[in-house]
Amino acid sequence: MPDYHDDLRLAHVLADAADAATMDRFKALDLKVETKPDMTPVSEADKAAEELIRGHLHRARPRDAILGEEYGIEGTGPRRWVIDPIDGTKNYVRGVPVWATLISLMEAGENGFQPVVGVVSAPALSRRWWAAKGAGAFSGRSLTSASRLHVSKVETIADSSFAFSSLTGWEEQGRLDGFMDLTRACWRTRGYGDFWPYMMVAEGSVDICAEPELSLWDMAANAIIVQEAGGRFTDLDGSDGPGGSNGAASNGLLHDELLGYLNQRY
């Protein structure tokens, strides 16, 4: 199996640079925020962080392609870095500390591009999570000061903790009734949103989570971390990996039942 240690170290360097840039503007009174065509917000910090990461990658990995939320795709080839400079921009612009920079390296294979390295860095929470294919998932302050992550062993939906982002997308897709049935069947539900539920699945503090509308940069880093922690990450149709337009993560034991609820149509 390939060794991705150097790529993982680079991803940490990229996250360090992004953390410094985003924290410098977090809660700034003069932060500039615009509305994109899809009606979602983008701040000057989103753009600056992505530009910073792209600049580092151009120097360190000039042959690799780059896909980012704010500036799209550039380059071609079997290796592609996928960047979400601030996942949770709505939180960021309101001063809520639950946001993170998501960085992933994906490689082309028989089943298309799949993540092989992922880093999720949430500096306002003083938390960072990461994983590399075949090397496990970890959380801590650095590569040398970390704890290995493991998903939970909860075996029934009735005993599970379910995290979700919002109700809107489920209703628009005609999945709201199944979603509500799932919330009633679970032991506990919480609306954490964005990257955090996936990291809690990887840590074992949440058992299942899902979102109805996502882009690749929302999922790639989360997916490899959940998978390397022993969990499962698919789209709502059950295809493994972050290749769909939505996502579901679990400890693996509950995954089929999770998808069963969310695919109920009335």
Side-chain angles (χ1 to χ4, degrees):
M1 181 175 292
D3 183 354
Y4 296 103
H5 185 71
D6 287 345
D7 293 310
L8 182 59
R9 288 183 61 186
L10 174 59
H12 276 274
V13 171
L14 300 175
D16 289 342
D19 286 356
T22 52
M23 285 300 291
D24 183 61
R25 300 298 293 154
F26 185 47
K27 296 188 178 181
L29 297 178
D30 60 343
L31 181 71
K32 296 179 181 178
V33 182
E34 303 171 1
T35 300
K36 293 190 286 189
D38 64 359
M39 301 307 292
T40 60
V42 57
S43 74
E44 62 181 85
D46 291 81
K47 295 179 178 180
E50 184 167 324
E51 289 171 351
L52 189 64
I53 292 170
R54 284 176 180 268
H56 277 278
L57 286 172
H58 287 152
R59 294 187 293 273
R61 297 288 190 276
R63 296 182 179 181
D64 293 352
I66 305 171
L67 171 65
E69 179 177 11
E70 307 307 334
Y71 295 106
I73 183 77
E74 60 177 315
T76 59
R79 287 165 50 97
R80 177 183 300 170
W81 293 87
V82 180
I83 306 159
D84 189 344
I86 299 179
D87 182 52
T89 298
K90 292 178 181 178
N91 282 347
Y92 184 88
V93 301
R94 290 297 301 270
V96 178
V98 183
W99 50 270
T101 295
L102 278 53
I103 300 168
S104 179
L105 172 63
M106 302 186 74
E107 284 192 345
E110 294 181 359
N111 299 317
F113 280 91
Q114 292 295 330
V116 294
V117 166
V119 171
V120 173
S121 190
L125 296 175
S126 299
R127 297 294 308 277
R128 184 177 291 186
W129 304 260
W130 62 88
K133 185 177 180 180
F138 297 85
S139 178
R141 296 185 177 275
S142 68
L143 283 167
T144 57
S145 177
S147 299
R148 187 153 189 171
L149 304 180
H150 300 280
V151 296
S152 75
K153 297 181 180 179
V154 172
E155 296 182 345
T156 65
I157 288 292
D159 293 329
S160 70
S161 180
F162 172 43
F164 61 94
S165 181
S166 68
L167 302 180
T168 308
W170 302 108
E171 186 172 25
E172 291 173 352
Q173 294 184 12
R175 301 178 190 265
L176 184 60
D177 287 338
F179 173 89
M180 294 304 297
D181 286 347
L182 175 59
T183 65
R184 297 184 187 103
C186 291
W187 167 65
R188 191 170 187 256
T189 60
R190 286 294 183 270
Y192 297 113
D194 301 309
F195 69 95
W196 209 6
Y198 302 98
M199 297 303 97
M200 286 190 281
V201 168
E203 292 177 337
S205 52
V206 163
D207 310 300
I208 53 176
C209 68
E211 291 181 273
E213 298 172 316
L214 293 169
S215 297
L216 180 59
W217 46 77
D218 298 315
M219 297 184 281
N222 294 334
I224 183 69
I225 293 171
V226 168
Q227 291 166 341
E228 286 295 321
R232 191 171 172 203
F233 188 105
T234 72
D235 62 17
L236 295 180
D237 292 328
S239 297
D240 287 308
S245 59
N246 40 52
S250 77
N251 63 3
L253 300 172
L254 301 173
H255 207 84
D256 290 343
E257 197 170 356
L258 166 65
L259 296 181
Y261 275 102
L262 297 178
N263 282 309
Q264 290 178 30
R265 305 290 183 117
Y266 295 90

